[in-house]
Amino acid sequence: MSTPPVREILDVVVVGGGPAGLSAALVLGRCLRKVLVFDAGNPRNAAARTFNGYLSRDGSSPAEFRQICRDQLTRYETVELRAATVARAERSDKSFTVTLESGERVDSRMLLIATGLVDELPKLEGLQQFYGTSAHSCPYCDGWEHRGEAMAVAGGNQEAADLAIELVLWSKDVVLCANGPLQCDAKARRQMQRSGIRVIERTITRLEGKRDALDGVRFDDGSLLPRTALFFSPGQHQRSPLAEQLGCEFCKEDGCIQCDEKAATNIPGLYAAGNASRGVQLVIAAAAEGTLAAVAMNNALVEADAESGELSRDAP
């Protein structure tokens, strides 16, 4: 009776092929770690034409940036990228096992979750037509491009009110379209009044415009508020169930994976980086967090190898 082959145990499996995951793979690969990156191919910023605020890549398209990152990783034989979705993850005493949707199982000493978040877009007729060009969720990413324009904020909660106040940095013509009764604290109401932000509590029926250029917000009484840019504060949830499956702790405020300053979760050997674990949701921040996580993971592997006497080994 033949003995089944022993599966290879990689140093690190990275789940998520965005800026955080690819940055971590780069650093770990350069440390001679055997790294496998799984990318399901659903980037959060797919609708955006460009992303901004990334020194040396300001104004790049997300697709171009991803391709450059992937191309640069090809020179490292220590790093492999695969287009696949990880369905499950388990932890044993000394390793992790991830199971792909195909049923294939892969083992690694450490695991990095860099799967990001999913934005829960407001249910506004016409939003998809303008999303990523004249309707946005992040003023740090897109406020500059609409500076001085007539802006609307869609939403009637505290987050929408805070966003409207923030947008006064980019435009003095900001209207909060609450889409019903506004629910926010007295402080935000005072600040909006002092900042000249008008509040409309009528129900929004649709967004109107030509092609991807917003012209205005239509209300249920038939009136049209002329606007050329719209911002909103979306709800969000974890893109992947892996952190929950493995028993991670989450931040109560925003639902992000709770990590220490080295990107380590409460589960030994499990790390998280990027939007899944941080409140600052910028591409450059995600890439930096991937680097920090990679350094911490490599240091932990060095320590474990030194303790076991396996630190000395041949380079690939």
Side-chain angles (χ1 to χ4, degrees):
M1 183 175 180
S2 61
T3 303
V6 177
R7 294 199 304 263
E8 178 187 15
I9 299 181
L10 303 171
D11 288 315
V12 178
V13 161
V14 177
V15 186
L22 296 178
S23 180
L26 173 62
V27 174
L28 288 164
R30 289 180 59 82
C31 294
L32 307 183
R33 299 298 180 185
K34 293 182 179 180
V35 183
L36 176 53
V37 181
F38 291 111
D39 184 6
N42 299 309
R44 179 177 170 229
N45 60 0
R49 290 185 176 179
T50 62
F51 68 89
N52 302 290
Y54 196 125
L55 191 63
S56 82
R57 293 294 173 188
D58 190 54
S60 298
S61 77
E64 175 193 28
F65 178 72
R66 284 193 299 273
Q67 192 58 53
I68 290 172
C69 293
R70 295 172 69 91
D71 290 345
Q72 290 183 350
L73 285 172
T74 58
R75 75 186 184 102
Y76 296 99
E77 64 269 27
T78 48
V79 178
E80 180 185 353
L81 275 67
R82 290 179 58 183
T85 299
V86 176
R88 296 190 306 278
E90 306 164 74
R91 181 180 181 273
S92 63
D93 290 340
K94 295 183 178 180
S95 65
F96 292 87
T97 299
V98 298
T99 304
L100 309 185
E101 285 188 338
S102 64
E104 180 184 353
R105 293 163 65 86
V106 178
D107 300 322
S108 63
R109 299 170 66 191
M110 289 190 170
L111 180 63
L112 175 65
I113 295 177
T115 46
L117 301 171
V118 175
D119 289 326
E120 299 166 357
L121 304 185
K123 295 179 180 179
L124 298 175
E125 183 180 341
L127 177 63
Q128 289 292 344
Q129 179 180 344
F130 309 109
Y131 183 44
T133 53
S134 50
H136 312 279
S137 61
C138 176
Y140 288 97
C141 301
D142 301 292
W144 169 267
E145 283 65 34
H146 298 286
R147 63 194 185 279
E149 294 184 19
M151 294 183 180
V153 173
N157 57 14
Q158 184 68 43
E159 288 75 16
D162 291 341
L163 176 59
I165 295 165
E166 185 177 26
L167 282 168
V168 174
L169 287 169
W170 288 273
S171 174
K172 303 306 178 187
D173 185 4
V174 178
V175 177
L176 176 59
C177 302
N179 199 25
L182 175 61
Q183 298 179 356
C184 68
D185 60 28
K187 179 182 177 181
R189 290 179 183 272
R190 288 195 305 270
Q191 290 178 340
M192 285 192 292
Q193 185 176 16
R194 292 169 181 168
S195 301
I197 299 170
R198 185 155 58 103
V199 177
I200 298 177
E201 296 182 296
R202 294 192 293 274
T203 301
I204 299 171
T205 56
R206 63 183 178 274
L207 306 180
E208 297 184 358
K210 301 176 183 66
R211 297 186 175 86
D212 57 9
L214 179 69
D215 288 336
V217 180
R218 182 75 66 179
F219 297 98
D220 58 357
D221 63 355
S223 62
L224 178 72
L225 173 69
R227 300 284 99 175
T228 56
L230 180 136
F231 286 82
F232 56 90
S233 181
Q236 296 176 326
H237 62 266
Q238 291 286 329
R239 181 175 295 278
S240 169
L242 299 182
E244 185 175 0
Q245 289 175 8
L246 290 165
C248 283
E249 295 176 352
F250 293 86
C251 300
K252 294 181 179 179
E253 296 79 11
D254 54 17
C256 288
I257 302 169
Q258 190 167 310
C259 300
D260 65 14
E261 68 279 0
K262 295 182 179 180
T265 71
N266 61 300
I267 307 300
L270 177 62
Y271 292 72
N275 293 343
S277 64
R278 295 291 190 275
V280 179
Q281 297 178 7
L282 299 174
V283 176
I284 193 168
E289 288 159 10
T291 296
L292 293 173
V295 171
M297 296 175 86
N298 183 64
N299 288 341
L301 287 168
V302 167
E303 183 175 351
D305 290 341
E307 285 293 322
S308 64
E310 298 180 4
L311 186 57
S312 177
R313 59 190 173 121
D314 294 332

